[in-house]
C-alpha cells in the first residue's frame, strides 16, 4: 500500500535489541489502531498480564496518511497496550496524540514502533533515518518533558540543514527531531502519566507514560530526511484543495457560527477560550488545515487545547473573577510533568467536595495537607501534582488514580452512587454523559475507556445546545440533521434519535455499532483527527452538509492507491472492533462487568453533580410522533434493566454471545479471524454454540 | 556554516562523455572534480545600485512569494505540497520552502518561513557553473534549475546568502532544487509558474503565503515578510498588529 514506508521498528528494551517488522505483514490492517491491535495480539502470549509487566507491549503507530497533505490526518500517533488507568481492570486500550511525531517517524522510514521488555537502567532511543541506538538517559531522568526535548535537541539537532555541508547521501532537514517523552509523573509510575510531544501534544488518558516509565524508557526521538510515496500525488493535492475550499474555514469568509468542532471551525479555536487572549498565533499538527491550537507571546500555555486548556478555569475564575494566566500555567504543569489533565479535571473537584464536607483535610478522616487557600492559583496544581509524583502524604493514594484512592478510603460505593466521584466508565473521568449522549456512554462501556470521540457529540449535543443557550436557533433543524446523519453513515444509515424510548432500541444499537466501526478504522487506524471528523454538519457549506462520507475515502485512496469505499472502512473497523473484543475477552471481560458508575442509574444530569462533568440542558434530536425536534434530555437517568436488555440487542447485532458478551466463532470467522477464535477456544473463552 | 563564495577559475562544463551525475559526485567527494563558476552566456556584469557591488543582472523574475511569519501556523502543509507537486513524494527535506519552529518559544519568535526570494541579483544563478540554474525566459524569468544540466556541485546551495539556504538538495535524485513558483510540477495537474498557481499558496490553510508580480525591496526582509492578517484574524483572538 502506498503511503507505507514498509518498516516497523521493534525495540526490545530487555536485551537492547533493535529489529524490524515488515509493514506488509500487517498491511491488511492499514495503520494505526488496526495494526497496533494485530501486533499486540501476535506478540503478547498472555494477554492477562498487568500494565506494569515486562510482557506488556506498547505500540506507537502511524498511518499511510501521516506526513502527507491529508487534512487533519497527517500526524497523529495511535498508542496501544495494557493500560494502568482503568478501574478496576487494567484493560488493553488506546490513546492518541498529534503534532509532528508520526510524520517525522515516517520521514525517518518507519510506520510505527513496537516497544517490548524493560530496560535495566533509564534509556532513550535515538533514531536518525536508519540509524537507531539506545542511549543512556540517566541525565534526562527527572527532567520535565520540555527540558528533556530541549536536551535531546541540543545533542542531535545540529546535524540539520543549517549546519551540514555534505548532505549528499542522507539529505538534510531544517526540522527539529520529533520526540515523545515522559515526565516525572511517568517515571513515578502513577496510573495517569502521559506521553508528551513538543509543547502541548499528549497521549493522556490511559496512562501509557507510566508504562514507559516502568519500562525505563524516557524518550524516543525521530529525525528523518526521507519521503513518502503516494499512489497519486496530483489527486492528493486536489483532494486536499477540494476539502479546504469547500469545507474548511476560508480566511475571506465570515467567521462561521456555532462552535469549535468539525472540519470547518476556525484556527486557534481549540483552547475553547480557556486562556486570556493576547498576542498569539494559531498552530497546528503537520498537514492540518484546521490548526486548532495557539502559541503565545510569553509561551505560557503554548499548544494547549481542549481539556488541559480548560480544566482549571472554574477555580481560576472563582479566585480571580475571570480567567487569568493561572489556567495556562496549570496547563503547562500537566504538560511538563507529563500528567493526564483529565484525571485532575474531575479529581480536583472531587477532593474539593470532600474537603468542603470536612471529610478530607488535616482534621478529617482522610488526612491531607493541601494548600486550599491557593485554590485557583497554579501553585495549588503544582503542590498537588508534586505530592502525587512523590507519593507524599495523600499523594500515595492518589498516585493510584482517584477511583482506587476512593476505594482505599472506603468511600467508593457511597461517592460513586451520588456522583460525588464523577468517574463514569471503567474509572475514567466523566466526560460526556451516558445519560444524555448515550452513544458516548455505550461505546465507552462496551470498550475500555472514555471513548473521546466527538462524532455525534458535536452536531447532536453542542450544536443545538450552544445555539439555544445563545438565544439563537440551531444551525440546522433536527429533521435536516437526522437526514444528513443518515446519509453520512452508510451502510447503517443511523437515526440519531435520543428520545427516552429510542435509547434502548435496535436503532441505537445500529448507531453504536456504526460509531465503533467508523472510529476504529477511519479515526484510529487511518487517523483522521477527532477534532475535525466526522463532518455531518458544516457551517461553511451553503446547505450545511459536511464532507463525511465522501471525504474520508477520497483522500485515503489518492494517497494509498487503494480502492476503498467508505463502507469498506466501516467493515474493516468492525473487524478491528472484534479483535479488540477478543483481547478483552482473554483479559477476563464478561457482560456483567459492563455497567456504568452507579450514579448513571440513580441521578439525572440535570441535578448538577459538581464533579460529574458538563451540567445544564442537553438539547438533542428526538423523534416524537414521527416528527424530528430538539429536546432537553438532561432530566433522565439510564434505566439499568432496559440498558441490560439493550446490551443483549447489541451483542446479537454484532453476533456476540448474549450470555457472556464474548465474540462467537462465527463473528470472528466472518472477519477472517479464525486464528483469534482458536486462541479464545484454547483459553476456554469461546462461547458454546447454542 | 561555510558560506564560502570564493570563485574558482576553472571553466565548468557538463560532462559530455556520458559521465553520470552520480560519477561526477563520486569524483567531487574525493576532491577530483574541481569546478567553479564562469560567465554564463547572455549575462552581463552590472553594478548593483543599492549596494555598489558588482553582480549579475539577470532579467527580473515575474513573480515572488511573500510570507507572514506571524500568521503561519507551522503546519508545514506548504512544504509537503511543494514536494508533492514537484517530486510526487511527501517530504520536508524535498521542499523548496522551509518552515522552522520551536514549540517552546514565545510568539512570534517561534516560527519562521524561509522562502526563496527570486533575488534580482541571484547569487545561486551566479554560482552555478553549468548554467543549470538560470532565469528561465519561458517561465517568467523565474530562477530555475534544469535538472539535466545540474552536475550536483552544490555551489548554488553554498552561494545562497540566506540561512537556511533557500535551495534544496535532492539527495534521492541528486540534484539541486529551488523554488520555481511551480512552473515545473510534473505531479500536479495545474498550470503553475508566475502566470499560474503555486501549490504552497493554494494549500496554505490560513493564507500566510501570497504571490506577487511586483519586485519586493531586496535589501532586507521587509519586502518579503508582510502582514497578511486582517481584522477577521483579530476577531479570532489572533494577533493582527505589527510585529
Ligand atoms: S484539528 Fe488540531 S489536533 Fe487535530 S490535527 Fe488539526 S491541529 Fe492537530
Ligand atoms: S536560492 Fe537563494 S540566492 Fe537563489 S534566488 Fe533563492 S534566495 Fe536568492
Ligand atoms: S511556489 Fe511552488 S516551488 Fe515555490 S515554494 Fe511554493 S510550492 Fe514550492
Ligand atoms: S501552509 Fe501556511 S500556515 Fe502552514 S506552515 Fe506553510 S505557510 Fe505556515
Amino acid at each position: 500500500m502506498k503511503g507505507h514506508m514498509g518498516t516497523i521498528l521493534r525495540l526490545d528494551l530487555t536485551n537492547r535489541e533493535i529489529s524490524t517488522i515488515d509493514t506488509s505483514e500487517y498491511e491488511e490492517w492499514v495503520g494505526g489502531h488496526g495494526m497496533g491491535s494485530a501486533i499486540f495480539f501476535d506478540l503478547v502470549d498472555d494477554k492477562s498480564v498487568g500494565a506494569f509487566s515486562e510482557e506488556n507491549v506498547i505500540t506507537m503507530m502511524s498511518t499511510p496518511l501521516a506526513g502527507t497533505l491529508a487534512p487533519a490526518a497527517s500526524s497523529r500517533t495511535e498508542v496501544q497496550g495494557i493500560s494502568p488507568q482503568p478501574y478496576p481492570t487494567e484493560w488493553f486500550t488506546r490513546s492518541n496524540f498529534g503534532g509532528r511525531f508520526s510524520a517525522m517517524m515516517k520521514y525517518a522510514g518507519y510506520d510505527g514502533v513496537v516497544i517490548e521488555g524493560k530496560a535495566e537502567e533509564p534509556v532513550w532511543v535515538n533514531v536518525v533515518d536508519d540509524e537507531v541506538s539506545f542511549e543512556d538517559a540517566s541525565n534526562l531522568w527527572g527532567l520535565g518533558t520540555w527540558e528533556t526535548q530541549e536536551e535531546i535537541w541540543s545533542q542531535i539537532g545540529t546535524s540539520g540543514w543549517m549546519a551540514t555541508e555534505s548532505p549528499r547521501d542522507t539529505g538534510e532537514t531544517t526540522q527539529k527531531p520529533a520526540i515523545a517523552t515522559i515526565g516525572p509523573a511517568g517515571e513515578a509510575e502513577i496510573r495517569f502519566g502521559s506521553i508528551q510531544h513538543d509543547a502541548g501534544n499528549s497521549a493522556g488518558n490511559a496512562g501509557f507514560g507510566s508504562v514507559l516509565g516502568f519500562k525505563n524508557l524516557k524518550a524516543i526521538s525521530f529525525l528523518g530526511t526521507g519521503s513518502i510515496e503516494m499512489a497519486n500525488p496530483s489527486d492528493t493535492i486536489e483532494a486536499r484543495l477540494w476539502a479546504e475550499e469547500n469545507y474548511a474555514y476560508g480566511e475571506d469568509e465570515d467567521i462561521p457560527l456555532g462552535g469549535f468542532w468539525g472540519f470547518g471551525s476556525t484556527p486557534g479555536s481549540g483552547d475553547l477560550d480557556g486562556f486570556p487572549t493576547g498576542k498569539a498565533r494559531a498552530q497546528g499538527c503537520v498537514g492540518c488545515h484546521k490548526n486548532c491550537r495557539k502559541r503565545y507571546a510569553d509561551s505560557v500555555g503554548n499548544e494547549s487545547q481542549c481539556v488541559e486548556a480548560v480544566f482549571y478555569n472554574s477555580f481560576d475564575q472563582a479566585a480571580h473573577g475571570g480567567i487569568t494566566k493561572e489556567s495556562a500555567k496549570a496547563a503547562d504543569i500537566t504538560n511538563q510533568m507529563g500528567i493526564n489533565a483529565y484525571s485532575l479535571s474531575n479529581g480536583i473537584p472531587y477532593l474539593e467536595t470532600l474537603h468542603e464536607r470536612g471529610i478530607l483535610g488535616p482534621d478529617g478522616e482522610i488526612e491531607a495537607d493541601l494548600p486550599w487557600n491557593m485554590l485557583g492559583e497554579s501553585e495549588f496544581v503544582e503542590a498537588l501534582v508534586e505530592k502525587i509524583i512523590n507519593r507524599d502524604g495523600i499523594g500515595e493514594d492518589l498516585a493510584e488514580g482517584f477511583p482506587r484512592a476512593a476505594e482505599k478510603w472506603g468511600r467508593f460505593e457511597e461517592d460513586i452512587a451520588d456522583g460525588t466521584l464523577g468517574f463514569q466508565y471503567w474509572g475514567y473521568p466523566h466526560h460526556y454523559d451516558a445519560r444524555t449522549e448515550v452513544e458516548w456512554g455505550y461505546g465507552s462501556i462496551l470498550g475500555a475507556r472514555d471513548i473521546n470521540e466527538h462524532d455525534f457529540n458535536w452536531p447532536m449535543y453542542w450544536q443545538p445546545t450552544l445555539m439555544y443557550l445563545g438565544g439563537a436557533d440551531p444551525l440546522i433543524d433536527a429533521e435536516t440533521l437526522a437526514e444528513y446523519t443518515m446519509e453520512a453513515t452508510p451502510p447503517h444509515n443511523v437515526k440519531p434519535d435520543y428520545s427516552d424510548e429510542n435509547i434502548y432500541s435496535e436503532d441505537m444499537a445500529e448507531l453504536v455499532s456504526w460509531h465503533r466501526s467508523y472510529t476504529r478504522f477511519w479515526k484510529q487506524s487511518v487517523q483522521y483527527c477527532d477534532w475535525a471528523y466526522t463532518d455531518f454538519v458544516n457551517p461553511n457549506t451553503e446547505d450545511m452538509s459536511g464532507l463525511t462520507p465522501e471525504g474520508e475515502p477520497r483522500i485515503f485512496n489518492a494517497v494509498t492507491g487503494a480502492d476503498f469505499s467508505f463502507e469498506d472502512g466501516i467493515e474493516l473497523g468492525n473487524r478491528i472492533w472484534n479483535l479488540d473484543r477478543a483481547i478483552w475477552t482473554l483479559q477476563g471481560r464478561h457482560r456483567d462487568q459492563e455497567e456504568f458508575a452507579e450514579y448513571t442509574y440513580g441521578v439525572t444530569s440535570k441535578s448538577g453533580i459538581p464533579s460529574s462533568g458538563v451540567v445544564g440542558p442537553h438539547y438533542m434530536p428526538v423523534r416524537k410522533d414521527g416528527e424530528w425536534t430538539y429536546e432537553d434530555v438532561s432530566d433522565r437517568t439510564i434505566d439499568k434493566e432496559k440498558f441490560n436488555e439493550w446490551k443483549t440487542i447489541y451483542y446479537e447485532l454484532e453476533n456476540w454471545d448474549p450470555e457472556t458478551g464474548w465474540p462467537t466463532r462465527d463473528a470472528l470467522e466472518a472477519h477472517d479471524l479464525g486464528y483469534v477464535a482458536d486462541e479464545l477456544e484454547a483459553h476456554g473463552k469461546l462461547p458454546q454454540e447454542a | 556554516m561555510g558560506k564560502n563564495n570564493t570563485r574558482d577559475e576553472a571553466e565548468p562544463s557538463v560532462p559530455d562523455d556520458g559521465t553520470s551525475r552520480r560519477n561526477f559526485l563520486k569524483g567531487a567527494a574525493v576532491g577530483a572534480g574541481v569546478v567553479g563558476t564562469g560567465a554564463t552566456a547572455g549575462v552581463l556584469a552590472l553594478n548593483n545600485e543599492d549596494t555598489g557591488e558588482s553582480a549579475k543582472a539577470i532579467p527580473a523574475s515575474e513573480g515572488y512569494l511573500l510570507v507572514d511569519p506571524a500568521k503561519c501556523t507551522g503546519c508545514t502543509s506548504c512544504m509537503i505540497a511543494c514536494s508533492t507537486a514537484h517530486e510526487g513524494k511527501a517530504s520536508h527535506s524535498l521542499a523548496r520552502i522551509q518552515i522552522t519552529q520551536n514549540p517552546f518559544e514565545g510568539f512570534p519568535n517561534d516560527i519562521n518561513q524561509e522562502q526563496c526570494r527570486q533575488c534580482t541579483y541571484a547569487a545561486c544563478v551566479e554560482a552555478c557553473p553549468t548554467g543549470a540554474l538560470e532565469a528561465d525566459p519561458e517561465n517568467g524569468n523565474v530562477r530555475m534549475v534544469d535538472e539535466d544540466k545540474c552536475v550536483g556541485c552544490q555551489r548554488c546551495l553554498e552561494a545562497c546568502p540566506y540561512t537556511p539556504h533557500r535551495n534544496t538538495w535532492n539527495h534521492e535524485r541528486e540534484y539541486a532544487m529551488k523554488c520555481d513558483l511551480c512552473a515545473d510540477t510534473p505531479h500536479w495537474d495545474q498550470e503553475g509558474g508566475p502566470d499560474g498557481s503555486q501549490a504552497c499558496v493554494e494549500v496554505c490553510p490560513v493564507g500566510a503565503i501570497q504571490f506577487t508580480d511586483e519586485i519586493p525591496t531586496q535589501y532586507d526582509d521587509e519586502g518579503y515578510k508582510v502582514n497578511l492578517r486582517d481584522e477577521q484574524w483579530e476577531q479570532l483572538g489572533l494577533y493582527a498588529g505589527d510585529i
Side-chain angles (χ1 to χ4, degrees):
Chain A
M1 184 173 280
K2 286 284 196 294
H4 281 152
M5 306 309 294
T7 305
I8 295 164
L9 184 61
R10 190 171 171 183
L11 304 169
D12 174 354
L13 298 172
T14 307
N15 303 305
R16 294 203 178 205
E17 268 172 22
I18 295 155
S19 60
T20 57
I21 298 171
D22 274 351
T23 307
S24 59
E25 287 180 35
Y26 290 95
E27 181 171 305
E28 62 191 283
W29 301 97
V30 171
H33 192 95
M35 273 191 185
S37 289
I39 291 171
F40 179 91
F41 191 87
D42 288 355
L43 296 188
V44 181
D45 288 336
D46 178 3
K47 275 105 185 149
S48 68
V49 297
F52 296 124
S53 152
E54 270 192 49
E55 281 132 85
N56 190 9
V57 169
I58 300 293
T59 53
M60 297 171 78
M61 304 306 295
S62 176
T63 147
L65 301 194
T68 73
L69 281 179
S74 179
S75 200
R76 300 211 59 95
T77 307
E78 180 83 353
V79 190
Q80 286 154 269
I82 296 172
S83 156
Q85 189 170 340
Y87 173 86
T89 313
E90 296 175 337
W91 299 121
F92 169 77
T93 194
R94 58 170 297 275
S95 193
N96 189 290
F97 65 97
R100 307 178 294 120
F101 187 82
S102 200
M104 191 57 100
M105 177 159 71
K106 284 184 67 184
Y107 297 147
Y110 307 97
D111 294 305
V113 54
V114 178
I115 301 159
E116 295 169 274
K118 173 178 167 55
E120 258 173 42
E121 302 291 333
V123 292
W124 66 280
V125 174
N126 184 15
V127 185
V128 181
D129 289 324
D130 54 3
E131 310 257 322
V132 186
S133 56
F134 287 105
E135 310 280 344
D136 174 15
S138 50
N139 64 326
L140 301 177
W141 209 251
L143 295 186
T145 62
W146 293 14
E147 293 165 306
T148 302
Q149 293 174 79
E150 283 176 323
E151 184 54 39
I152 292 176
W153 288 340
S154 76
Q155 289 179 43
I156 54 173
T158 50
S159 60
W161 197 299
M162 285 171 261
T164 183
E165 285 185 48
S166 52
R168 286 180 194 284
D169 302 324
T170 52
E172 49 182 353
T173 181
T174 61
Q175 307 298 297
K176 292 184 187 307
I179 299 165
T181 184
I182 61 168
E187 293 172 13
E189 296 170 37
I190 69 160
R191 285 188 185 267
F192 47 107
S194 57
I195 298 174
Q196 295 286 140
H197 159 60
D198 278 356
N201 302 283
S202 340
N205 267 335
F208 288 132
S210 297
V211 178
L212 297 190
F214 164 80
K215 288 177 176 291
N216 271 324
L217 178 61
K218 177 71 178 175
I220 175 160
S221 167
F222 282 97
L223 186 66
T225 60
S227 60
I228 302 161
E229 277 187 45
M230 287 160 283
N232 195 325
S234 188
D235 283 1
T236 304
I237 301 176
E238 288 306 316
R240 163 67 177 240
L241 292 177
W242 164 81
E244 246 181 82
E245 279 155 21
N246 293 301
Y247 298 99
Y249 160 75
E251 38 137 19
D252 300 326
E253 291 154 21
D254 291 340
I255 295 171
L257 273 176
F260 36 85
W261 274 292
F263 196 88
S265 70
T266 52
S269 51
D271 69 348
L272 307 178
D273 297 329
F275 298 152
T277 44
K279 283 190 180 180
R281 76 163 82 247
Q283 187 272 330
C285 302
V286 167
C288 188
H289 69 288
K290 177 165 156 159
N291 300 295
C292 69
R293 300 187 297 248
K294 285 183 185 147
R295 289 203 199 120
Y296 303 86
D298 55 7
S299 76
V300 177
N302 266 11
E303 299 184 356
S304 281
Q305 50 107 266
C306 194
V307 59
E308 72 265 23
V310 294
F311 87 94
Y312 203 51
N313 276 184
S314 56
F315 298 108
D316 182 5
Q317 226 157 353
H320 304 104
I323 300 173
T324 71
K325 271 276 164 220
E326 294 306 302
S327 293
K329 284 193 212 161
D332 281 0
I333 291 167
T334 65
N335 282 326
Q336 295 186 24
M337 294 295 104
I339 196 166
N340 173 17
Y342 233 118
S343 291
L344 298 181
S345 98
N346 287 29
I348 296 175
Y350 177 54
L351 297 179
E352 190 198 23
T353 307
L354 296 183
H355 172 71
E356 277 173 356
R357 293 182 190 163
I359 297 164
L360 181 147
D363 310 319
E365 60 194 63
I366 306 163
E367 202 190 307
D369 169 25
L370 289 168
W372 291 106
N373 61 330
M374 303 292 278
L375 191 62
E377 312 298 328
S378 55
E379 282 84 352
F380 179 87
V381 177
E382 203 173 344
L384 175 65
V385 168
E386 244 170 54
K387 275 190 184 299
I388 296 173
I389 290 173
N390 296 326
R391 296 180 185 257
D392 167 23
I394 192 177
E396 175 75 52
D397 299 340
L398 297 179
E400 298 302 312
F402 291 86
R404 284 179 175 84
E407 188 186 26
K408 189 170 172 206
W409 301 332
R411 299 207 53 86
F412 185 84
E413 303 293 330
E414 181 183 340
D415 291 347
I416 207 77
D418 67 3
T420 302
L421 182 63
F423 285 68
Q424 199 171 27
Y425 324 107
W426 303 119
Y428 275 85
H430 183 118
H431 186 182
Y432 288 102
D433 197 333
R435 296 165 293 190
T436 53
E437 288 147 274
V438 286
E439 93 292 341
W440 192 295
Y442 292 179
S444 298
I445 209 68
L446 291 166
R449 53 162 288 173
D450 172 60
I451 53 172
N452 205 16
E453 298 159 351
H454 296 81
D455 311 85
F456 292 92
N457 161 262
W458 154 233
M460 309 303 157
Y461 161 60
W462 280 114
Q463 179 265 135
T465 305
L466 275 182
M467 298 304 278
Y468 281 135
L469 289 177
D473 283 335
L475 290 177
I476 57 172
D477 61 67
E479 185 170 358
T480 315
L481 175 65
E483 204 179 287
Y484 285 179
T485 307
M486 286 186 254
E487 277 168 24
T489 52
H492 298 48
N493 307 103
V494 306
K495 296 178 201 67
D497 175 359
Y498 287 80
S499 63
D500 292 353
E501 305 73 46
N502 198 59
I503 60 173
Y504 308 108
S505 71
E506 184 151 1
D507 276 358
M508 190 50 74
E510 284 281 350
L511 187 149
V512 171
S513 177
W514 182 89
H515 194 206
R516 299 295 81 235
S517 304
Y518 175 86
T519 52
R520 272 300 188 265
F521 181 70
W522 289 112
K523 270 194 172 164
Q524 291 143 20
S525 299
V526 179
Q527 300 193 59
Y528 285 109
C529 177
D530 181 62
W531 268 57
Y533 301 82
T534 59
D535 199 42
F536 295 155
V537 179
N538 188 310
N540 300 310
T541 60
E542 219 161 276
D543 66 356
M544 302 221 180
S545 63
L547 66 57
T548 299
E550 192 184 349
E552 289 93 337
R554 180 170 172 169
I555 299 157
F556 179 75
N557 288 336
V559 172
T560 61
D563 186 17
F564 242 74
S565 67
F566 185 82
E567 292 88 332
D568 291 338
I570 299 294
E571 175 61 28
L572 182 44
N574 196 249
R575 183 178 189 223
I576 300 166
W577 179 234
N578 272 275
L579 176 58
D580 283 355
R581 187 79 190 177
I583 295 172
W584 296 323
T585 301
L586 289 165
Q587 285 191 287
R589 178 70 66 93
H590 189 276
R591 73 166 279 159
D592 294 348
Q593 295 166 306
E594 295 182 332
E595 289 288 356
F596 298 111
E598 204 52 38
Y599 66 84
T600 315
Y601 308 112
V603 191
T604 70
S605 312
K606 204 179 186 172
S607 44
I609 296 150
S611 58
S612 62
V614 183
V615 291
H618 287 64
Y619 290 99
M620 303 194 72
V622 300
R623 203 154 71 139
K624 253 186 156 174
D625 307 324
E627 304 280 313
W628 287 93
T629 139
Y630 292 115
E631 217 176 71
D632 179 9
V633 297
S634 62
D635 198 14
R636 77 174 171 218
T637 56
I638 292 289
D639 181 312
K640 204 173 204 168
E641 208 171 299
K642 285 187 187 164
F643 168 62
N644 271 295
E645 284 161 19
W646 181 86
K647 281 198 308 204
T648 302
I649 296 173
Y650 182 82
Y651 300 144
E652 282 174 349
L653 178 73
E654 297 287 13
N655 200 6
W656 298 345
D657 175 43
E659 299 294 311
T660 55
W662 299 343
T664 61
R665 180 171 282 281
D666 276 359
L668 295 168
E669 280 182 352
H671 286 302
D672 213 7
L673 293 172
Y675 70 102
V676 174
D678 294 345
E679 187 161 335
L680 289 186
E681 192 163 24
H683 287 84
K685 297 276 185 183
L686 197 68
Q688 299 305 310
E689 299 299 332
Chain B
M1 182 79 210
K3 286 275 178 245
N4 184 348
N5 291 351
T6 315
R7 302 288 174 248
D8 219 309
E9 297 312 314
E11 190 65 28
S13 65
V14 183
D16 58 3
D17 55 357
T19 314
S20 69
R21 176 153 52 231
R22 180 169 287 278
N23 285 339
F24 172 85
L25 289 170
K26 279 190 183 144
V30 295
V34 180
V35 290
T37 56
T40 308
V43 178
L44 299 168
L46 276 187
N47 281 339
N48 180 335
E49 284 171 22
D50 291 331
T51 64
E53 282 172 16
S54 179
K56 267 184 199 171
I58 50 176
S61 171
E62 286 169 24
Y64 304 83
L65 293 183
L66 307 179
V67 296
D68 183 353
K71 195 179 197 191
C72 174
T73 67
C75 71
T76 68
S77 301
C78 51
M79 296 169 70
I80 304 171
C82 183
S83 74
T84 302
H86 289 83
E87 298 300 313
K89 290 175 170 187
S91 173
H92 280 157
S93 294
L94 300 180
R96 301 152 192 232
I97 180 169
Q98 291 291 321
I99 307 300
T100 57
Q101 60 187 316
N102 182 340
F104 308 131
E105 268 281 358
F107 166 82
N109 304 321
D110 57 322
I111 289 185
N112 224 331
Q113 294 165 294
E114 324 277 16
Q115 87 279 34
C116 167
R117 297 161 62 120
Q118 309 296 346
C119 303
T120 35
Y121 299 95
C124 58
V125 172
E126 192 183 354
C128 179
T130 69
L133 177 40
E134 281 191 312
D136 180 3
E138 280 174 27
N139 285 300
N141 293 317
V142 175
R143 290 81 176 100
M144 271 175 82
V145 180
D146 179 341
E147 183 185 346
D148 294 333
K149 284 196 202 161
C150 174
V151 293
C153 65
Q154 299 194 343
R155 296 299 293 256
C156 57
L157 271 68
E158 286 171 24
C160 177
Y162 302 100
T163 305
H165 49 79
R166 306 304 153 90
N167 27 24
T168 311
W169 178 247
N170 185 327
H171 67 284
E172 296 183 352
R173 287 170 47 203
E174 299 183 315
Y175 79 109
M177 314 186 295
K178 68 173 289 299
C179 172
D180 60 0
L181 295 170
C182 288
D184 180 21
T185 53
H187 303 279
W188 186 30
D189 305 334
Q190 265 192 41
E191 207 52 53
D195 296 328
S197 320
Q198 298 77 34
C200 58
V201 176
E202 294 293 312
V203 162
C204 176
V206 295
I209 315 174
Q210 200 175 64
F211 173 84
T212 178
D213 56 11
E214 284 171 31
I215 304 178
T217 305
Q218 296 291 301
Y219 249 152
D220 49 26
D221 272 352
E222 263 172 47
Y224 288 92
K225 299 199 167 165
V226 295
N227 186 346
L228 299 171
R229 288 153 287 137
D230 56 13
E231 212 176 279
Q232 204 177 22
W233 197 247
E234 197 173 354
Q235 281 168 27
L236 295 173
L238 301 163
Y239 185 65
D242 291 332
I243 291 297

